Amino acid sequence: MSEETASSVVIGIIGGSGLYHMDQLTFVREVNPMTPWGHPSSPITISQLPTGEQIAFIARHGKHHTHSPSAVPYAANIAALKHLGVKAILAFSAVGSLREEIRPGDFVIPDQIIDRTKGIRQASFFEGTNIVAHATFGDPFSKTFSAFLVPLVQNVLKESEGVQLHTGKCVVVMEGSLFSTRAESKMYRILGGDIINMSTLPEAKLAREAEISYALIATATDYDAWRESEEVVTVSEVLKTLHTNAETSRQVLCYPSGLGVNMPNSKVAQAVIAELHAAITSNQLTSEIEGSMEYSIVTQPAHQTASDREKLRYILPYFS
Ligand SMILES: CSC[C@H]1O[C@H](OP(=O)(O)O)[C@H](O)[C@@H]1O
Ligand SMILES: Nc1ncnc2[nH]cnc12
């Protein structure tokens, strides 16, 4: 067993646009593994609390935002986190709002996805192998993990005047890199989309195949292009709220859920991450997903090649 596999890194954080690092925790080490799907977007930072709980953080677009949403090495990111021992991923994303009531600055924990990516991203670990598998994906985010996050996020947002948390929403994942036309933006509203980004797929699909519990905290930065009388979204508009949203996102992990608000930062971080760590290690957030792939694999072992099995062994136990 490698050094990383043996450690207690069970929490993975994926930072989106604007969220390129976590503060407040003690740096332990950086790892940049070569997975069967290549290197991750950037080296993964492992940090820890004084009590020893560790988290792995990866910047989705790289630390200097050098990977476009269509070119993020999603499979390598998820595989690397899984190989470290991660059981639950909390992903962050900057999103456009398709609803008047979801205002820029608001937070959203969605429960559904509409896929508007165009088939150019590797969406399955089984692609390129002769092993066929069909994972269940009706509920693309972990229900228990998302529910666990709601009070944590609500606590943080109590301190940020006027910022709302929305739940039970649907995220449209588009291809990019350009933003949507006005016609597309209006169509997504008719389809039932509430927010829009360019990155939650294939990330959520790959996490599901790797049996990692996955939840998303989305932070609204703009109203996209559907409001006829308003200007359409631009990067400068997104950047206006991105910094504040990223600061608030960091607070989510560094806020004393159920404890006093005036604690020093280090104790605060300890409280929340320890809570998340305890929930994961007691299987509260992972029992619904662990073992879920075993019966999703259609191709019988006798018809699986040794090289395919070796590749998939990196992320799943069924190929040992
Ligand atoms: C910078 S605006 C478009 C960009 O922002 C979102 O990134 P992420 O989901 O990683 O926060 C969106 O998906 C696009 O990639
Ligand atoms: N309007 C928008 N469309 C797609 N991705 C986004 N990320 C932030 N705002 C966005």
Side-chain angles (χ1 to χ4, degrees):
M1 195 181 278
S2 69
E3 188 197 337
E4 284 81 27
T5 313
S7 73
S8 60
V9 189
V10 295
I11 304 170
I13 310 290
I14 299 182
S17 296
L19 189 60
Y20 306 113
H21 59 91
M22 291 295 308
D23 293 332
Q24 291 113 343
L25 304 175
T26 306
F27 175 84
V28 176
R29 65 185 190 282
E30 229 177 41
V31 291
N32 190 16
M34 180 62 179
T35 76
W37 296 273
H39 283 291
S41 302
S42 59
I44 299 174
T45 307
I46 296 175
S47 315
Q48 80 174 14
L49 304 173
T51 42
E53 289 91 348
Q54 298 190 340
I55 67 162
F57 177 86
I58 184 163
R60 178 183 293 120
H61 301 280
K63 286 183 182 173
H64 306 288
H65 209 126
T66 46
H67 300 277
S68 82
S70 306
V72 166
Y74 295 98
N77 290 353
I78 299 296
L81 290 174
K82 174 70 189 235
H83 205 64
L84 281 170
V86 163
K87 290 171 179 287
I89 291 175
L90 173 53
F92 287 88
S93 172
V95 299
S97 167
L98 299 171
R99 302 287 160 194
E100 195 70 51
E101 65 277 14
I102 303 176
R103 291 175 300 179
D106 279 1
F107 277 49
V108 185
I109 298 181
D111 68 355
Q112 279 301 323
I113 302 179
I114 293 175
D115 188 355
R116 288 279 301 166
T117 62
K118 296 188 175 159
I120 62 173
R121 308 176 182 192
Q122 175 170 1
S124 167
F125 284 112
F126 296 87
E127 253 177 68
T129 75
N130 288 316
I131 300 178
V132 178
H134 301 286
T136 300
F137 202 55
D139 292 306
F141 302 103
S142 161
K143 285 184 167 187
T144 48
F145 192 7
S146 299
F148 174 88
L149 289 171
V150 170
L152 292 183
V153 178
Q154 267 163 347
N155 264 343
V156 175
L157 298 189
K158 274 196 304 209
E159 307 294 306
S160 315
E161 213 173 301
V163 178
Q164 299 281 316
L165 171 65
H166 307 265
T167 57
K169 301 295 177 192
C170 176
V171 56
V172 175
V173 185
M174 60 172 288
E175 190 56 57
S177 295
L178 281 69
F179 290 116
S180 306
T181 64
R182 288 189 188 273
E184 286 164 342
S185 195
K186 286 183 205 161
M187 175 184 74
Y188 297 142
R189 281 164 50 81
I190 294 167
L191 289 179
D194 298 303
I195 52 176
I196 181 162
N197 72 7
M198 305 177 189
S199 68
T200 298
L201 292 176
E203 200 170 90
K205 290 185 176 177
L206 294 160
R208 177 60 55 89
E209 284 187 343
E211 295 187 347
I212 300 176
S213 183
Y214 180 92
L216 178 68
I217 295 182
T219 56
T221 50
D222 55 85
Y223 273 119
D224 201 44
W226 57 273
R227 296 210 303 182
E228 207 57 77
S229 58
E230 305 289 334
E231 293 297 314
V232 299
V233 57
T234 60
V235 162
S236 48
E237 188 192 355
V238 169
L239 293 180
K240 268 190 234 158
T241 31
L242 208 58
H243 181 69
T244 318
N245 287 355
E247 279 307 312
T248 316
S249 299
R250 282 190 196 96
Q251 294 298 317
V252 168
L253 282 174
C254 300
Y255 191 90
S257 156
L259 302 170
V261 284
N262 293 324
M263 296 171 80
N265 271 348
S266 59
K267 288 210 173 142
V268 165
Q270 184 176 335
V272 172
I273 294 176
E275 214 175 298
L276 191 51
H277 197 275
I280 293 167
T281 49
S282 65
N283 279 342
Q284 274 178 59
L285 308 184
T286 52
S287 59
E288 65 194 1
I289 192 157
E290 276 180 2
S292 62
M293 284 305 290
E294 188 169 5
Y295 301 105
S296 300
I297 300 160
V298 182
T299 313
Q300 292 301 303
H303 301 282
Q304 300 172 355
T305 66
S307 61
D308 286 348
R309 289 179 65 83
E310 188 188 341
K311 189 174 184 185
L312 292 164
R313 195 178 301 147
Y314 195 84
I315 52 151
L316 286 170
Y318 314 112
F319 300 100
S320 298

